[in-house]
Amino acid sequence: MLDWVADPQIWIGFFTLVALEIVLGIDNIIFISILAGKLPPEQRDRARVLGLAAALISRLLLLLGLSWVVQLTEPLFSVVGHEISGRDLILLLGGLFLLGKSVTEIHHSMEVAPGGDGKKAAAVSFTSVIVQIMVLDVVFSLDSVITAVGMVDELGVMIAAVVVAVLVMLFASGPISRFVDSHPSIKMLALSFLVLIGVVLVAEGLDQHIPKGYIYFAMAFSVVVELLNIRMRGRHSKKKEVTEQEDPTPKMQ
């Protein structure tokens, strides 16, 4: 019954699936980190844990309901000759929700007054943040589960890979969230990623496939460039501090 445990091909599929699940979960971590960052500091870790727990539960439920997931790909109706399935509807609605949420967050980030972050965070309901995370978890989980079904045949391997991937995401979410919170430019970049992911979800819902490799490469490249910018700004700040210490004479106004 468990002969597949000794099969090296199964283990190759398992580790490959874990890696893919982690990559596919990056957008989920970004979304959770940004929403949790709106809460008071003492509630953020709890929100991240609950958000990733919801992600794990939704993935496992979808895996256990594989027959239902498969039926989601069957056309429900047609619009102007274009067939729409249950999966298409979920991706479309999820993509539109993500687009609206990301654009709203970008607007708030640009309009918020200096020093107003604490008041804004305190006004955010913990329950509303968790509900928003759970809504997007379903969309992200659907993509994750479809990938799992296409990668391996054993349900036990799928479940194990998803659990391991979510545990890795859980440990990584804290440092990622703190880094995003402490660097406003990274937060804006992360919100831009969510806009991009929303566009991809809408396109997928309309059967316009965009290779994920291009998306993740663009995201990784942008992050590397921004990290270089952060390091350069840090060096300039240190150089300026050293210069001011060496020449303490007040400058003429």
Side-chain angles (χ1 to χ4, degrees), residues 5 9 18 48 56 59 64 69 72 79 88 113 124 142 147-148 163 175 188 190 211 218 229 232 239 241:
V5 175
Q9 293 298 323
V18 168
R48 283 195 298 270
L56 175 59
R59 281 164 169 76
L64 294 175
V69 172
L72 284 177
V79 178
D88 294 335
V124 176
L142 185 63
T147 299
V163 171
M188 188 60 67
N229 284 331
M232 184 177 66
K239 186 177 180 180
E241 290 176 3

Side-chain angles (χ1 to χ4, degrees), residues 29-250:
I29 292 178
I30 293 173
F31 185 75
I32 291 174
S33 299
I34 290 174
L35 283 183
K38 298 177 66 178
L39 294 168
E42 64 274 12
Q43 294 184 346
R44 292 174 185 173
D45 287 341
R46 185 181 168 207
R48 283 195 298 270
V49 171
L50 287 177
L52 287 171
L56 175 59
I57 292 171
S58 60
R59 281 164 169 76
L60 293 180
L61 289 176
L62 286 173
L63 281 173
L64 294 175
L66 282 179
S67 58
W68 179 74
V69 172
V70 171
Q71 290 176 0
L72 284 177
T73 59
E74 297 177 0
L76 297 177
F77 55 89
S78 298
V79 178
V80 194
H82 180 76
E83 295 182 338
I84 303 293
S85 66
R87 174 179 177 271
D88 294 335
L89 280 177
I90 293 175
L91 292 178
L92 278 170
L93 294 176
L96 291 173
F97 175 79
L98 192 56
L99 278 172
K101 187 64 182 176
S102 303
V103 171
T104 302
E105 289 298 322
I106 290 174
H107 175 73
H108 287 332
S109 297
M110 296 179 68
E111 295 295 326
V112 67
D117 290 343
K119 293 181 180 179
K120 184 182 73 170
V124 176
S125 164
F126 182 85
T127 302
S128 69
V129 168
I130 296 300
V131 169
Q132 290 178 68
I133 290 173
M134 291 177 68
V135 169
L136 259 296
D137 276 342
V138 173
V139 180
F140 292 138
S141 297
L142 185 63
D143 196 24
S144 171
V145 168
I146 290 174
T147 299
V149 173
M151 283 288 301
V152 295
D153 298 324
E154 295 286 346
L155 179 61
V157 176
M158 297 180 201
I159 292 175
V162 167
V163 171
V164 171
V166 172
L167 288 176
V168 172
M169 289 160 56
L170 179 61
F171 285 106
S173 65
I176 290 174
S177 297
R178 288 188 287 272
F179 185 74
V180 170
D181 290 339
S182 60
H183 295 86
S185 60
I186 288 290
K187 182 177 180 180
M188 188 60 67
L189 186 63
L191 287 169
S192 301
F193 288 163
L194 292 178
V195 172
L196 179 61
I197 293 165
V199 172
V200 172
L201 289 176
V202 172
E204 291 278 349
L206 297 174
D207 285 338
Q208 301 299 315
H209 180 65
I210 301 175
K212 293 289 197 311
Y214 294 137
I215 303 299
Y216 291 128
F217 175 80
M219 291 170 62
F221 182 78
S222 301
V223 169
V224 170
V225 171
E226 186 56 35
L227 290 176
L228 291 174
N229 284 331
I230 290 173
R231 185 173 182 182
M232 184 177 66
R233 287 194 294 267
R235 285 187 173 182
H236 283 320
S237 298
K238 289 181 180 179
K239 186 177 180 180
K240 185 177 179 180
E241 290 176 3
V242 171
T243 303
E244 290 176 350
Q245 290 174 0
E246 292 176 351
D247 185 17
T249 305

